[in-house]
Amino acid sequence: VECSSAAEALAAAGAGADIVLLDNLAPQELHAAAAQVKAAHPGVTVEASGGIVLGSLPQFLGPHIDVVSMGCLTHSAPGLDFALRV
């Protein structure tokens, strides 16, 4: 379930969500929300997403974050011009 706050994430986990995606949160807010979710629902997977790029990735890693999604890997990837001759 995609959530934009700790309250939404706790509600989703309490309703039975297996995975809670914390979207577009600042790193400090993200870590606080993830800690709250893990404290209340240890079995829930917590995913960080939204605006994360390679340069800022270390700020989003932490003990309560299980998965990090980075859209920049697909929508911002540079093109590669190549040819295949068989």
Side-chain angles (χ1 to χ4, degrees), residues 2-62:
E2 184 174 320
C3 304
S4 59
S5 70
E8 286 182 6
L10 288 167
D18 295 330
I19 302 172
V20 173
L21 183 146
L22 296 170
D23 194 26
N24 292 315
L25 299 179
Q28 186 175 7
E29 185 181 5
L30 169 77
H31 293 297
Q36 290 176 29
V37 171
K38 287 292 191 173
H41 307 280
V44 170
T45 298
V46 176
E47 179 175 351
S49 182
I52 303 170
V53 296
L54 289 174
S56 66
L57 178 60
Q59 299 172 32
F60 291 89
L61 303 176

